[in-house]
Amino acid sequence: MTKFKLDIKTLLTIHTAFLYGQVLFAVVAFLLTDKNQPKVDENFSRIIQTVAALFTVTSVAIAFFLFKKKMEALQMQMDLTTQQKIIQYKTFSIVRFALLEAPCLFAIVAYFLTTNIYFMVLAAILIVVFAAQRPTVQLIIHHLSVSREDLME
């Protein structure tokens, strides 16, 4: 049985918790929303749609750009131990998760306020993007330029 370092296990747990939180929040918002409630003002709905679209594009772009830059910088630091690299990787990953999760939560709240299904579709897409960012052993090995044994206890 393989035992990964605590920081790797923690990172996987955090990702899973963030993912389940988004899914649970979306399901609860969908079930609690009264589909028969009167529609909100059309201007308000358009403003929220624009904000959601801009927020999503900006946040996702920053998440990927920032993570890529931080990984490039981390690979250039030859003086770090494997444990230090793992800790920094965990930190950068959590920031990326937060930047990917924020527009999803905004879209769910917007759906709850407006009952516009567009927002729930946007949230579902963002949940899929978030799920695809789950750190795998191969990905961690690639990003940190370490061996599989370095990730084991």
Side-chain angles (χ1 to χ4, degrees), residues 5-125:
K5 292 189 180 207
L6 183 60
D7 287 315
I8 301 296
K9 292 179 200 173
T10 303
L11 182 60
L12 295 173
T13 303
I14 290 169
H15 181 273
T16 303
F18 277 17
L19 180 62
Y20 286 171
Q22 291 172 73
V23 171
L24 184 62
F25 186 39
V27 169
V28 168
F30 186 76
L31 294 175
L32 290 180
T33 303
D34 182 11
K35 311 302 184 275
N36 297 323
Q37 83 180 26
K39 295 287 182 187
V40 295
D41 179 43
E42 192 65 32
N43 289 334
F44 176 73
S45 185
R46 282 200 176 106
I47 290 170
I48 296 295
Q49 286 177 4
T50 304
V51 170
L54 290 174
F55 184 41
T56 298
V57 169
T58 303
S59 188
V60 170
I62 290 171
F64 287 110
F65 176 77
L66 190 61
F67 186 77
K68 180 181 177 191
K69 288 296 179 194
K70 292 292 187 179
M71 285 299 99
E72 288 171 358
L74 185 60
Q75 289 176 347
M76 299 298 269
Q77 295 178 338
M78 300 300 182
D79 59 331
L80 295 178
T81 66
T82 300
Q83 186 60 33
Q84 291 170 322
K85 286 182 178 182
I86 291 171
I87 290 170
Q88 286 196 9
Y89 182 81
K90 183 174 83 169
T91 302
F92 301 153
S93 294
I94 292 170
V95 170
R96 179 176 57 161
F97 297 160
L99 286 168
L100 292 173
E101 183 181 38
C104 179
L105 299 178
F106 182 83
I108 296 167
V109 170
Y111 170 77
F112 192 73
L113 294 174
T114 65
T115 67
N116 184 339
I117 197 69
Y118 158 80
F119 294 114
M120 196 53 77
V121 171
L122 178 61
I125 292 168

